[in-house]
Amino acid sequence: KPGYWQELAATIDVDWWTRAAPGRDLSGSPRIRLFDDFVSDDVCRWLIGRAAGRLSRALVYEALRKEVTVHPTRTNTAASFSMLETDFVCVLTQVRMAAAIDVPFRQFEPITVLHYAEGEEITEHFDFVDPEVPDYEQEIAQRGQRIATFLIYLNDAYGGGETEFPRVGVRHKGRTTQAIVFINALPDGSADVRTLHAGRPPTGGEKWIVSQFVRNRRVF
């Protein structure tokens, strides 16, 4: 109908999406920050619905062979959304994440929704670009370091399934609409090995989360 899009736009609180969300630290160093009610229940349901029909086995990057592959350390499934596959809700979610950590939106990799069925997991790993991998300097020069990781918990009807940081003693089971961000790099840009973390397996039910990597330079 005439004026529909204007009416729809008027329902979106742009200031809320672009304003830094209040949060509290689970760890000061390395920085692991928790946000309550980071997105709405409706957004959580939308993201689950968008991903549900697109899931495939989550892959691991093998640095020596320079390829992504199935690996026994990661048994969950995932759905990533490229620039052509994304939608307005995904973009708004990324804008809110960018505001929370004061980093430009263009430093964000494609948004990914992860799904963990009962017993599925990703074991201890790092998200930064490992300085021990071949062609590390070339990767950093071309794409930059992964300085931060955002996780948004899209549901909580499962047992277990905590996000654990064993080197700093943090173990968090998120609730629906919560988010955490952790900083993978030290102030000089080098890797912070204290950010070793794992996604523990659900002991019942299924777990859905958003995973968002942030670089220290533009991705697009």
Side-chain angles (χ1 to χ4, degrees):
K1 68 177 182 178
Y4 171 78
W5 292 110
Q6 290 86 347
E7 292 176 12
L8 181 62
T11 67
I12 300 172
D13 185 350
V14 175
D15 180 65
W16 185 85
W17 287 98
T18 58
R19 184 175 62 241
R24 61 185 186 276
D25 287 345
L26 300 179
S27 168
S29 183
R31 189 77 176 273
I32 305 171
R33 192 159 178 80
L34 173 69
F35 304 91
D36 292 317
D37 303 316
F38 190 74
V39 293
S40 68
D41 289 297
D42 287 340
V43 167
C44 291
R45 286 191 292 269
W46 176 268
L47 292 171
I48 290 173
R50 285 277 282 131
R54 305 182 69 249
L55 295 171
S56 59
R57 178 72 179 268
L59 303 176
V60 172
Y61 180 66
E62 290 282 1
L64 294 177
R65 291 185 290 175
K66 298 182 181 178
E67 64 182 19
V68 290
T69 183
V70 171
H71 196 277
T73 60
R74 187 174 195 181
T75 57
N76 66 295
T77 53
S80 293
F81 298 92
S82 69
M83 188 177 296
L84 294 177
E85 297 164 327
T86 194
D87 61 31
F88 189 55
V89 175
C90 292
V91 172
L92 278 178
T93 301
Q94 290 177 308
V95 166
R96 185 151 170 80
M97 289 188 278
I101 55 175
D102 194 24
V103 171
F105 168 72
R106 297 192 71 172
Q107 292 177 205
F108 280 44
E109 294 186 27
I111 194 169
T112 300
V113 175
L114 305 181
H115 173 260
Y116 294 81
E118 183 176 345
E120 293 180 348
E121 65 178 331
I122 181 168
T123 60
E124 286 88 353
H125 65 287
F126 301 108
D127 285 345
F128 53 68
V129 180
D130 191 340
E132 300 300 321
V133 304
D135 300 325
Y136 168 78
E137 298 294 342
Q138 180 180 354
E139 168 77 4
I140 294 298
Q142 291 179 343
R143 302 190 63 201
Q145 179 61 277
R146 279 180 173 170
I147 57 170
T149 301
F150 242 103
L151 302 178
I152 302 175
Y153 298 92
L154 303 180
N155 77 318
D156 53 24
Y158 54 88
E162 300 90 350
T163 304
E164 183 174 15
F165 299 83
R167 292 184 177 175
V168 292
V170 171
R171 187 179 179 101
H172 181 70
K173 182 182 185 300
R175 63 167 177 80
T176 308
T177 75
Q178 274 190 339
I180 63 171
V181 64
F182 50 97
I183 307 304
N184 299 310
L186 297 167
D188 64 0
S190 60
D192 190 342
V193 297
R194 297 173 299 171
T195 59
L196 182 77
H197 61 285
R200 300 305 181 194
T203 57
E206 56 183 344
K207 172 184 174 182
W208 294 88
I209 64 171
V210 164
S211 175
Q212 175 68 64
F213 297 132
V214 183
R215 299 267 179 166
N216 64 353
R217 58 173 296 174
R218 284 172 49 173
V219 174
F220 63 93

